[in-house]
């Protein structure tokens, strides 16, 4: 077992975390969150999504948010682009990376993006070609790699199949997502092994939701495989509109606390990260959904 000495975290809070919030949030607030995340040391941030505002109203200010960023050369700004129309709008905002997302479950694919897995790949192919031709990095996400709210348990072979389809159209990096948070360490390791049949270790990442409180355990289980890249969400923001009961991604603060406690570098300042989580949580009228943040905030109060 060789643990990585350094881990890269992609904070997906501004996009994956905020997209399901019912209350309208200003572009200024979202820009403020991205700035606080980069001030805390995040080098890779999923900022927004170029989808139809009819489906995801919260992301309707995507161009405004991208235009308002004070960009840093050492930070990668990613956007979600589900189809060519989305990509054509996104490219005007000069993203460093575009993200396409498929599923290892046919039923989830139909519910989430209204098409089959094969059709979703056909939609992504021109997006990937255009992005690569423009020198923009392309990341792919595979949702429901462990379980699906409609199909139940997902066989690892399906993860391999979707990873291969994505590799064939040129997707450079793949995220293995436990979208509804039902995974436990061995199951998540099997899903990751399935992706690693197609992608190199340096080109995979974990994306774990904490519905059953397993996200940190699943992070540790994949760290032990050598995986060194993860999607996390500040203050544990997020959920999934098509996965009833799914809580947010694992909180960035909790993963940073885990990693630092294991002597693994992240380049992230935990205190500043917690402040970023407080900033967005206060705007949403709630406490950060992070155990580490809660403990540190209580300590600051002398509690």
């Amino acid at each position: 077992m060789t643990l990585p000495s350094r881990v890269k975290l992609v904070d997906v809070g501004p996009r994956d975390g905020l997209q399901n919030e019912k209350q309208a949030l200003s572009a200024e607030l979202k820009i403020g969150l991205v700035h606080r995340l980069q001030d805390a040391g995040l080098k890779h941030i999923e900022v927004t999504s170029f989808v139809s505002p009819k489906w995801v109203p919260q992301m309707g200010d995507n161009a405004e948010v991208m235009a308002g960023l004070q960009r840093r050369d050492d930070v990668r700004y990613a956007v979600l682009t589900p189809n060519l129309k989305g990509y054509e709008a996104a490219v005007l905002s000069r993203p460093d990376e575009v993200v396409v997302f498929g599923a290892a479950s046919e039923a989830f694919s139909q519910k989430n993006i209204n098409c089959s897995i094969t059709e979703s790949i056909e939609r992504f192919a021109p997006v990937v070609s255009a992005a690569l031709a423009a020198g923009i990095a392309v990341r792919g996400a595979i949702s429901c790699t462990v379980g699906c709210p409609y199909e139940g348990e997902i066989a690892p072979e399906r993860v391999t199949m979707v990873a291969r389809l994505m590799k064939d159209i040129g997707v450079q990096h793949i995220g293995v997502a436990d979208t509804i948070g039902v995974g436990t360490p061995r199951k998540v390791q099997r899903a990751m092994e399935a992706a690693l049949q197609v992608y190199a270790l340096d080109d995979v990442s974990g994306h774990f939701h904490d519905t059953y409180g397993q996200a940190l355990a699943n992070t540790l289980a994949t760290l032990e495989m050598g995986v060194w890249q993860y999607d996390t969400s500040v203050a544990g923001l997020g959920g999934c509109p098509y996965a009833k009961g799914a809580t947010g991604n694992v909180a960035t603060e909790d993963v940073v606390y885990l990693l630092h406690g294991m002597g693994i570098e992240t380049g992230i300042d935990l205190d500043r990260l917690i402040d970023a989580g407080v900033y967005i949580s206060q705007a949403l009228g709630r406490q950060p959904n992070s155990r580490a943040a809660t403990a540190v905030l209580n300590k600051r109060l002398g509690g």
Side-chain angles (χ1 to χ4, degrees):
M1 182 185 85
T2 309
L3 290 169
S5 59
R6 187 176 181 86
V7 159
K8 182 174 94 170
L9 299 182
V10 180
D11 201 298
V12 299
R15 198 281 302 174
D16 199 12
L18 295 181
Q19 70 176 7
N20 303 319
E21 293 294 338
K22 297 289 181 278
Q23 68 190 85
L25 301 170
S26 69
E28 184 185 13
L29 183 78
K30 296 169 189 173
I31 292 163
L33 176 59
V34 173
H35 288 164
R36 282 164 175 78
L37 290 173
Q38 62 188 23
D39 287 346
L42 268 300
K43 301 295 185 193
H44 198 154
I45 302 168
E46 202 168 282
V47 177
T48 188
S49 151
F50 283 80
V51 293
S52 166
K54 186 177 96 172
W55 296 109
V56 188
Q58 190 68 259
M59 299 287 117
D61 57 3
N62 40 36
E64 188 184 348
V65 171
M66 289 295 284
L69 296 178
Q70 289 174 13
R71 298 196 186 201
R72 295 188 182 174
D73 292 340
D74 61 345
V75 176
R76 179 178 279 195
Y77 302 94
V79 300
L80 200 75
T81 53
N83 50 40
L84 196 55
K85 187 178 176 186
Y87 170 78
E88 285 166 352
V91 77
L92 301 174
S93 71
R94 299 181 300 107
D96 299 308
E97 178 182 73
V98 297
V99 184
V100 295
F101 57 98
S105 151
E106 281 292 354
F108 191 81
S109 185
Q110 290 288 354
K111 292 272 187 183
N112 196 25
I113 49 177
N114 305 309
C115 66
S116 69
I117 293 171
T118 306
E119 286 168 339
S120 73
I121 299 295
E122 286 167 5
R123 274 187 204 173
F124 302 149
V127 174
V128 176
S129 297
L132 294 176
I136 299 170
V138 180
R139 188 158 50 98
I142 308 179
S143 24
C144 295
T145 59
V146 181
C148 165
Y150 314 108
E151 289 183 22
E153 207 154 311
I154 298 295
E157 295 75 34
R158 297 194 65 76
V159 179
T160 303
M161 179 199 82
V162 180
R164 190 159 282 128
L165 290 170
M166 287 207 173
K167 182 87 168 177
D168 287 346
I169 61 167
V171 172
Q172 296 166 309
H173 178 104
I174 206 78
V176 176
D178 179 16
T179 311
I180 58 170
V182 293
T184 47
R186 291 286 176 266
K187 289 178 181 176
V188 167
Q189 283 178 335
R190 283 197 288 272
M192 191 63 77
E193 282 163 1
L196 287 167
Q197 288 184 32
V198 182
Y199 281 86
L201 187 61
D202 287 348
D203 298 323
V204 298
S205 53
H207 178 116
F208 306 134
H209 285 237
D210 205 30
T211 317
Y212 287 85
Q214 301 297 298
L216 283 179
N218 294 336
T219 300
L220 179 57
T222 48
L223 277 169
E224 289 175 346
M225 298 170 70
V227 175
W228 59 276
Q229 298 177 80
Y230 295 90
D231 294 348
T232 59
S233 181
V234 64
L237 295 170
C240 179
Y242 305 100
K244 196 174 179 185
T247 54
N249 291 286
V250 65
T252 310
E253 298 93 322
D254 294 351
V255 176
V256 169
Y257 183 81
L258 170 76
L259 295 169
H260 288 183
M262 295 172 72
I264 297 172
E265 289 177 33
T266 64
I268 295 168
D269 180 319
L270 182 57
D271 277 307
R272 295 185 85 167
L273 177 64
I274 288 168
D275 292 341
V278 168
Y279 163 82
I280 192 63
S281 298
Q282 284 179 342
L284 293 165
R286 56 176 182 255
Q287 295 299 310
N289 188 20
S290 156
R291 302 290 283 273
T294 301
V296 170
L297 292 168
N298 285 342
K299 210 171 176 180
R300 286 181 188 175
L301 294 169

